[in-house]
Amino acid sequence: MPAPAWERLVPALAGWRHPTWYVLLRCLRELETHHLDLDTGHGTEHWPDAYVARALDDTLATPRAHSFPLASVEAVDLGRAWSLAPEEASVAGAGRQVLGWLTGRTPADALTADRPARLLPLPSAWPQPPLPGWGHAGDER
């Protein structure tokens, strides 16, 4: 495929648009998530570190852009941390547990937080809408 074509915006089934290169990441996300959703014995503990790190970057970019009430997230096993908003809840845990919670697949109880799990914000439906700058179906971009 010619290099410029990878930047062309294509529509997702949800109606939002993203660069063509993002299709590859969406496919990997679908594969890993559906293994979990279909209860095939492939839980979050089977997610590869590289997938978890990239999916956390992707998943946490949208809440940051949309003021999700979460101050910080730390994936302690990956040595990674994300700052989202001041003066909100902070959570930490293994990257797989954090991603599982952010995607609505695992409970917050496995995380360390500065407040009880029942008081943590509920993550948005996953996958979240595109990053700012990516369009919606029908945009002229």
Side-chain angles (χ1 to χ4, degrees):
M1 202 156 108
W6 287 104
E7 295 302 322
R8 185 173 298 132
L9 294 179
V10 295
L13 289 175
W16 45 272
R17 297 165 61 87
H18 55 74
T20 303
W21 59 263
Y22 193 70
V23 170
L24 302 173
L25 299 177
R26 285 183 48 220
C27 289
L28 178 58
R29 179 184 63 207
E30 292 291 320
L31 176 72
E32 293 295 344
T33 305
H34 288 316
H35 275 123
L36 180 67
D37 291 347
L38 295 171
D39 197 21
T40 63
H42 185 92
T44 59
E45 70 278 4
H46 293 101
W47 286 345
D49 286 347
Y51 164 72
V52 172
R54 182 176 290 276
L56 281 170
D57 284 338
D58 188 42
T59 300
L60 289 167
T62 299
R64 183 182 301 127
H66 297 287
S67 301
F68 182 64
L70 202 56
S72 65
V73 174
E74 183 180 3
V76 295
D77 59 329
L78 301 176
R80 304 278 310 275
W82 296 261
S83 294
L84 302 172
E87 301 178 21
E88 299 291 350
S90 293
V91 299
R96 287 161 185 80
Q97 294 169 329
V98 173
L99 183 60
W101 172 66
L102 288 169
T103 62
R105 269 60 183 186
T106 59
D109 297 344
L111 302 175
T112 302
D114 60 356
R115 58 194 70 187
R118 63 183 168 70
L119 298 178
L120 289 174
L122 292 175
S124 302
W126 194 70
Q128 282 96 22
L131 298 175
W134 291 359
H136 295 276
D139 286 354
E140 294 301 319
R141 294 185 222 182

